[in-house]
Amino acid sequence: MAVPKKRTSISKKQIRKNIWKKKGYWAALKAFSLGKSLSTRNSKSFFYPTNN
């Protein structure tokens, strides 16, 4: 027979939510950093064609 699960505490729910939010924050920070390095041509891992 199915038994209902216990309720997750509010603090545990907040901890999980903050971890999830922080992952998005770091992904956005990395994307912004990469975009900044590409726009200023300081990136070491991308090839920039020279227009002669």
Side-chain angles (χ1 to χ4, degrees), residues 1 3 5 9 12-14 18 21-22 31 41 46:
M1 193 163 97
V3 179
K5 293 181 180 174
S9 67
K12 193 173 278 189
K13 194 190 294 185
Q14 277 303 116
N18 287 337
K21 282 182 185 177
K22 201 162 268 195
R41 292 180 166 249
F46 284 88

Side-chain angles (χ1 to χ4, degrees), residues 36-52:
K36 193 173 166 187
S37 68
L38 285 173
S39 67
T40 57
R41 292 180 166 249
N42 286 336
S43 179
K44 306 247 187 295
S45 61
F46 284 88
F47 172 73
Y48 297 104
T50 54
N51 296 331
N52 290 339

Side-chain angles (χ1 to χ4, degrees), residues 24-40:
Y25 168 77
W26 287 116
L29 197 69
K30 284 181 183 177
F32 183 76
S33 177
L34 178 64
K36 193 173 166 187
S37 68
L38 285 173
S39 67
T40 57

